[in-house]
Amino acid sequence: MSTATATHHQDDHHAEHPTGIMRWLTTTNHKDIGTMYLTFSLIMFLLGGLLILAVRAELFQPGMQVMQPEFFNQLIGVHALIMIFAALMPAATGFANWMLPLQLGAPDMALPRLNNWGFWLLPPAAILLLAPFVLALLGIGDGAVATGWTFYAPLSVQGGIGTDFAIFSVHLLGISSVMGSINVLVTIFNMRAPGMTLMKMPIFAWGWMITAFLLIATIPVLAGGVTMLLTDRHFGTHFFDAAGGGDPILFQHLFWFFGHPEVYIVLLPVWGLIPHILTTFSRKPTYGYKAQVYSFWAIGILSVVVWAHHFFTVGLPTPALLYFMYSTMSISLPLAVLFFCWIATMWRGSMTFETPMLFTVGWIILFGIGGLTGLVLADVAADAQYHHSYFVVAHFHYTLFAGGIMGIMAGVYYWLPKMTGHMYNEKLGKLHFWLTTIAFNVTFIPQFFLGLAGMPRRIPDYALQFSEFNMISTVGAFVLGLSQLIFVYNVIRTVRGGEKATDKVWESSVGLEWTLPSPPPYHSFSEQPVIK
Amino acid sequence: MTTQTHEGHYFVPNPSIYPVILSTSLLLLAGGFIFNINGHDAGKWSMLVGFLGILYVLFGWFGKVIGESEGGMYKKWEDRSFRIGMIVFIASEVAFFAAFFGALFYMRVISVPELGGFDSEFTPYPGYAGDWPTAGPGGATVHGAYTPANFTPMGAWGIPAINTLILLTSGVTVTWAHWGLLKNNRKQLIAGLAMTVALGVAFLCLQAYEYHHAYQELGLTLGSGAYGATFFMLTGFHGFHVTLGTIMLIVILLRSIKGHFKSDHHFGFEGVAWYWHFVDVVWLLLFVLVYWL
C-alpha cells in the first residue's frame, strides 16, 4: 500500500522490562499485549471446543446418555459466550495490537497502560463465566448460565446464580472491548507515520476502525440491556415483564441491537487481513482498495439497522418485517462487492498456495456459503420455517467458524513468522487446513439438512429420523476438534524454534511490517518512517 | 484527516501494575456483589476488598498520570491521543444512555399502548387503558408482595426545573473557569471551578431529596412498573454520572489550587469539562422526556 523511505531497525536499545510473570502482568508493550491476547484466545478456543464436544457426544444418539438436560443448556450457552467473547474477539484484538503499530509505523499503541487493562479484564471475565460450574460442585447454585448466549427474558429473569455471573462477565468483557476500541481508534487517528493518509492505510487498519466504531456504538447497549436484566432479577423493575408494562421482546431488541453488529465486529478484522494475504500470494496489488473501504463503511452502517431479523417470528408488525427483511438483504450488495474484489485480486495472479493462502481460499468459499444461507434466513417467509432450527446453527457456524476462526488462522500462519522469527511447518499447516476444512463441512453440512427437516436447536434429545445426520455431524466435530491439536503443536513448535524467517518472510509481501526484522525488536518505529 | 509531522518521541509509559490490580478488584467487587444479591452475606467482604483496591488504583494511577503530565512528559502528540480517547469514551457513554432511553421509548410508544389495546375478551388485563405514566396492568410487585399501582408521577416544574437551572448554570461556570485558565487568570479558574463543584453538590442533594420524596410520599418506587423502572434507572445512572463528574471536578479544583495546568496545556481540565457538558446534555433529555412530556 505504501512505501517506506526512512530508516528503520534503528531502535536497538532493548528497554528494560521485568522478567517472569511480572513482565506479562505489568507490560505496556503492544507486542507483549498482543501475544497475551492471542494466547488467551487459543486457550479459550480449545476450552470452548471441549464444551461443545461434550454437547456433540450427547447428540450422537437420540435419547439422553451423557448428561442432564440442564447441564446441556449450560454447555451450549457458555460455549457460545466463550467462542465469541473469549476466543474470536481477543484473537482479532491480538492481531490489532501486534500489527497496527507495525503497519502504521507507530512506536506503540497510543494508550499503552489502558491497553494492558483491556487485556487483563479478560481473565476475570472468564473466571466469572466459568466459576458457577465449580461452585455447583461445591453445592452453591445450580451451575452456569443456562439461557444460551442470548439471555432471552423471561428465562434469564428466572435463572439461577449462573445468570448473575454471566451478566457481570459480560460487563467486564464489554469494558475490555470499549477500552480496546478506544485504543485502536486513537492509534489509527493519531499514530500513523507522516505521509500515511487514511486512504493509504493498510486495509487491516480500515477493518479494525469500523469494528471499533461498532463496538463503541453497540457494546454499551448490551451493557444497558443486561443491567436491566439484573434489576429485573433482583431489584423489582419490570423492563421485561408485561405485568409492569414492560415486554420480554424489549430484551430481544436491546440484545440484537448489539448482537447483529457483533457478527461484523468479529468479521471486519478478518476482512481486513484477507486482502493482505491475497495480494501476497497472488503477487498482485489489492483489487479495489477504495471499493473495499467503502463497502466496510456501508456494511458497518447497515449492520446497526437490521437487528430484528433475528426474531422475525415473535410477532412483529408487517411493515417492520418488510423493513428488516429488505435492509438485511441489502447488506449482500456491499458484501458482494467485497467478494468480487477478493476474487479479482487473485484473477490472473501468479498464485502459490502456502498455508495462509489455502486457508484464505477455503475461507472465501465457506464464508460465501455462510453469506448465501444468511440470505435465505433473511427472507421473512422462509425464516418462519427455518427459525430456531439447526439450519441457523449451520449458517452461523459457516460465518463464525469458517468466516471468523479460519480467517484468524490464515492470519496466524501469515504473521506468525514475522512475530516469532521462525517459519512454521508447512506440511503440518497444510494437513491442518485440509483436516479442518473437510471435518468442518462434515460437521455442519448435515446440520443444514437437519434444520430443513425440522430439528430444533438447543434441545438435547431428538426424533429418531434425525439420527444418521447427527452421528455424521458428531464424528465430524470430533475430527475437527482433534485436528486443532495439530495447529496448537505447530504454533508451539514455531514459537520455540525452527527455520529462520527472513525480514520479508514472503516473496511479495507489501507493507511496513515486512521492513522490520523477524521478529521485530521490542520497541519498533521509535523514529517514524516517512511515507511518500 | 490530513497527515501531521510529529516532533520527537511518543511517550510510552513504563510497565505498570495498576491495571492488573484494577481488574482483580473489579472481579472481587462483582463476585462479592453476586453472592450478596443471592443471599450469601459474606460477599460484602469481597466487595469491600474490591472497593478498596479500586480506590488504591484510582489514587495511584491518576496520581502517576498527573505526575507525568506536570513533569512535562506529555507534548502535543500525546495530548491529541488523550483528546481523541476522551471523545470516543464519551461516545460510548452516549450509547449506554441510549439503551435506557430506547427502553423508555419502547415502553411508552409500543408495549404499554399494546397492552391497553388488546381485545377485551382475550386480555389478561381487562380494563387496562395503557395510558402513561403507568405502573403496568398488573400493579407493582416489590420483594414478591403485590401492591396496587398507586403512585403519583414526578412533576416537572418543582425540583427538576430547579435542577435544570442548576446544571445549565454549572455549564456556564465551568466555561467561565476555562476562560480564566486560557487568560492565565488563576483566581477566575479556581472561583469558576469552586462554583461548579458547589452546583454539582447542590444538584445531587436535591436529587436525593427528590428520591426520598418519591419513595415516602408519592409511592413511586423502582418497582412501579414501566414508569418507575425507567424513571429511577435513567435518573439514577445520570445521578451516578453527576457524582463521578463532581469528584472529577473536585480533583481538578485541587490541582488548580496547587498550581497545575497551563493556558496551553490542560487536557485534564478539558476532559472533565467535556464530561460535565455531556452529563448536562443527558439531563436536558431527561428533563424533557422523563419529567416533562
Side-chain angles (χ1 to χ4, degrees):
Chain A
M1 203 54 13
S2 37
T3 22
T5 54
T7 54
H8 19 74
H9 336 160
Q10 71 296 87
D11 213 333
D12 289 329
H13 74 278
H14 281 273
E16 291 89 53
H17 56 73
T19 48
I21 182 75
M22 287 308 281
R23 168 181 175 182
W24 302 102
L25 287 176
T26 63
T27 183
T28 48
N29 180 282
H30 72 100
K31 300 182 187 82
D32 280 357
I33 295 172
T35 303
M36 290 197 294
Y37 266 111
L38 289 167
T39 311
F40 178 80
S41 162
L42 183 58
I43 294 169
M44 296 313 276
F45 171 62
L46 296 174
L47 188 66
L50 219 54
L51 298 182
I52 208 63
L53 285 185
V55 166
R56 279 314 320 172
E58 175 57 57
L59 291 171
F60 186 61
Q61 287 181 319
M64 301 303 300
Q65 290 93 22
V66 188
M67 61 185 74
Q68 295 299 312
E70 293 80 8
F71 189 60
F72 181 94
N73 291 345
Q74 296 169 22
L75 289 181
I76 287 199
V78 177
H79 160 75
L81 286 165
I82 283 186
M83 286 304 198
I84 291 166
F85 286 102
L88 269 170
M89 291 169 71
T93 317
F95 280 147
N97 265 294
W98 249 101
M99 287 302 154
L100 281 181
L102 301 187
Q103 290 190 326
L104 302 176
D108 204 297
M109 294 295 274
L111 304 163
R113 275 181 295 230
L114 196 69
N115 201 11
N116 175 302
W117 189 38
F119 171 76
W120 279 107
L121 279 165
L122 292 180
I127 291 171
L128 284 180
L129 198 55
L130 297 168
F133 283 127
V134 182
L135 289 174
L137 294 178
L138 303 173
I140 302 173
D142 48 5
V145 60
T147 60
W149 82 293
T150 51
F151 299 108
Y152 276 4
L155 180 62
S156 52
V157 178
Q158 297 154 354
I161 196 171
T163 315
D164 294 320
F165 273 101
I167 287 171
F168 280 98
S169 177
V170 165
H171 275 309
L172 293 193
L173 293 163
I175 298 171
S176 166
S177 293
V178 170
M179 295 305 136
S181 304
I182 290 174
N183 221 337
V184 164
L185 287 174
V186 177
T187 304
I188 290 176
F189 284 123
N190 199 31
M191 306 295 282
R192 278 170 290 129
M196 184 183 280
T197 58
L198 284 176
M199 288 312 273
K200 280 186 188 167
M201 273 196 318
I203 206 160
F204 178 66
W206 271 112
W208 244 107
M209 190 208 286
I210 311 295
T211 285
F213 278 135
L214 288 176
L215 281 166
I216 292 295
T218 62
I219 283 271
V221 176
L222 174 70
V226 296
T227 303
M228 292 175 210
L229 194 56
L230 185 77
T231 57
D232 264 20
R233 286 169 56 80
H234 293 287
F235 302 103
T237 57
H238 295 82
F239 284 105
F240 311 126
D241 179 2
D247 188 348
I249 293 167
L250 170 60
F251 184 82
Q252 303 194 13
H253 283 285
L254 290 167
F255 181 85
W256 287 112
F257 181 81
F258 150 80
H260 190 73
E262 172 67 18
V263 178
Y264 298 97
I265 286 165
V266 168
L267 291 178
L268 273 160
V270 176
W271 298 346
L273 71 85
I274 288 296
H276 291 277
I277 299 175
L278 285 173
T279 189
T280 298
F281 296 101
S282 306
R283 292 161 181 80
K284 272 179 65 199
T286 301
Y287 183 90
Y289 173 86
K290 279 188 185 170
Q292 294 192 45
V293 170
Y294 298 149
S295 297
F296 285 1
W297 275 102
I299 292 172
I301 291 165
L302 280 172
S303 73
V304 287
V305 294
V306 299
W307 69 89
H309 64 231
H310 289 270
F311 45 100
F312 275 151
T313 56
V314 297
L316 298 173
T318 308
L321 291 176
L322 288 175
Y323 161 73
F324 283 110
M325 173 168 77
Y326 290 129
S327 58
T328 303
M329 288 181 167
S330 68
I331 291 185
S332 59
L333 299 176
L335 195 54
V337 172
L338 288 178
F339 270 96
F340 179 79
C341 291
W342 296 330
I343 294 165
T345 302
M346 292 188 284
W347 182 256
R348 293 190 162 178
S350 164
M351 290 167 71
T352 49
F353 293 92
E354 287 85 348
T355 310
M357 186 61 165
L358 275 181
F359 265 97
T360 302
V361 176
W363 176 91
I364 291 178
I365 296 165
L366 296 177
F367 176 56
I369 296 175
L372 290 172
T373 51
L375 212 49
V376 175
L377 290 168
D379 184 303
V380 171
D383 186 66
Q385 164 75 15
Y386 304 146
H387 184 81
H388 214 269
S389 76
Y390 259 86
F391 190 89
V392 180
V393 177
H395 155 71
F396 69 69
H397 280 91
Y398 271 83
T399 56
L400 290 181
F401 187 93
I405 302 244
M406 283 181 70
I408 296 282
M409 281 169 172
V412 170
Y413 283 113
Y414 183 60
W415 278 326
L416 199 60
K418 172 53 67 184
M419 295 173 181
T420 62
H422 305 295
M423 290 306 287
Y424 59 87
N425 184 312
E426 190 66 52
K427 270 189 187 154
L428 285 178
K430 284 184 169 146
L431 180 68
H432 173 227
F433 166 75
W434 285 110
L435 278 175
T436 301
T437 305
I438 293 168
F440 170 77
N441 283 296
V442 171
T443 308
F444 291 103
I445 286 178
Q447 296 189 6
F448 279 125
F449 294 102
L450 285 170
L452 292 178
M455 179 169 162
R457 41 187 302 216
R458 290 176 171 162
I459 308 287
D461 193 5
Y462 50 82
L464 289 177
Q465 71 265 31
F466 302 132
S467 302
E468 282 82 1
F469 275 160
N470 268 301
M471 266 183 202
I472 297 170
S473 184
T474 296
V475 171
F478 274 85
V479 176
L480 183 59
L482 287 174
S483 53
Q484 301 319 308
L485 297 178
I486 302 171
F487 175 67
V488 176
Y489 172 71
N490 207 352
V491 168
I492 293 174
R493 203 169 166 273
T494 312
V495 171
R496 293 169 70 101
E499 189 196 331
K500 289 264 176 274
T502 59
D503 292 2
K504 226 174 154 214
V505 181
W506 312 108
E507 190 179 87
S508 64
S509 43
V510 185
L512 284 179
E513 73 265 39
W514 309 107
T515 64
L516 292 167
S518 304
Y522 195 64
H523 292 293
S524 39
F525 292 131
S526 293
E527 302 287 340
Q528 289 200 294
V530 178
I531 311 297
K532 272 197 289 195
Chain B
M1 186 128 331
T2 54
T3 40
Q4 59 286 328
T5 33
H6 304 306
E7 300 292 325
H9 286 250
Y10 192 79
F11 176 72
V12 178
N14 286 327
S16 169
I17 193 66
Y18 293 122
V20 165
I21 301 179
L22 183 56
S23 299
T24 314
S25 306
L26 283 171
L27 175 65
L28 292 171
L29 186 67
F33 185 68
I34 294 166
F35 279 111
N36 228 9
I37 55 180
N38 282 283
H40 302 278
D41 278 341
K44 65 181 178 231
W45 299 111
S46 174
M47 284 178 73
L48 181 68
V49 175
F51 182 72
L52 291 176
I54 291 170
L55 275 187
Y56 169 75
V57 170
L58 287 180
F59 277 96
W61 193 341
F62 280 107
K64 192 154 175 48
V65 170
I66 291 167
E68 285 167 0
S69 175
E70 291 302 307
M73 318 290 248
Y74 303 154
K75 310 231 167 35
K76 288 264 180 276
W77 195 8
E78 290 83 4
D79 195 69
R80 195 157 179 264
S81 285
F82 300 147
R83 282 162 197 280
I84 301 172
M86 191 70 193
I87 292 169
V88 177
F89 174 68
I90 290 178
S92 77
E93 292 269 45
V94 170
F96 182 76
F97 275 99
F100 289 90
F101 278 111
L104 171 66
F105 169 82
Y106 185 90
M107 289 180 176
R108 263 193 93 156
V109 179
I110 298 176
S111 70
V112 166
E114 235 173 52
L115 283 166
F118 283 137
D119 189 316
S120 57
E121 289 196 31
F122 296 107
T123 176
Y125 310 114
Y128 179 66
D131 296 326
W132 189 269
T134 178
T141 314
V142 185
H143 298 304
Y146 176 83
T147 41
N150 287 329
F151 71 90
T152 319
M154 190 61 70
W157 299 110
I159 290 173
I162 297 170
N163 265 346
T164 308
L165 274 180
I166 287 177
L167 276 194
L168 286 178
T169 314
S170 76
V172 175
T173 54
V174 77
T175 305
W176 187 65
H178 193 196
W179 289 348
L181 177 54
L182 292 176
K183 290 183 299 190
N184 269 324
N185 183 344
R186 307 291 300 188
K187 270 189 184 164
Q188 184 179 333
L189 166 67
I190 291 166
L193 277 174
M195 280 192 273
T196 314
V197 170
L199 289 167
V201 172
F203 173 92
L204 287 170
C205 291
L206 286 174
Q207 195 73 3
Y209 172 77
E210 183 187 276
Y211 275 20
H212 180 79
H213 176 63
Y215 264 81
Q216 298 302 321
E217 288 149 42
L218 301 182
L220 172 60
T221 70
L222 196 55
S224 300
Y227 182 83
T230 49
F231 175 83
F232 280 106
M233 292 299 276
L234 273 164
T235 58
F237 271 117
H238 176 263
F240 175 66
H241 281 75
V242 175
T243 312
L244 285 184
T246 307
I247 294 170
M248 284 153 70
L249 282 168
I250 292 171
V251 172
I252 295 302
L253 173 62
L254 293 177
R255 287 184 64 190
S256 300
I257 293 170
K258 280 183 86 174
H260 292 189
F261 304 125
K262 297 185 192 68
S263 58
D264 60 345
H265 184 83
H266 52 264
F267 166 74
F269 178 95
E270 278 188 90
V272 173
W274 291 350
Y275 194 78
W276 194 250
H277 288 309
F278 153 71
V279 170
D280 212 354
V281 172
V282 172
W283 174 262
L284 288 180
L285 284 172
L286 277 179
F287 181 70
V288 174
L289 295 172
V290 175
Y291 290 97
W292 186 2
L293 294 180

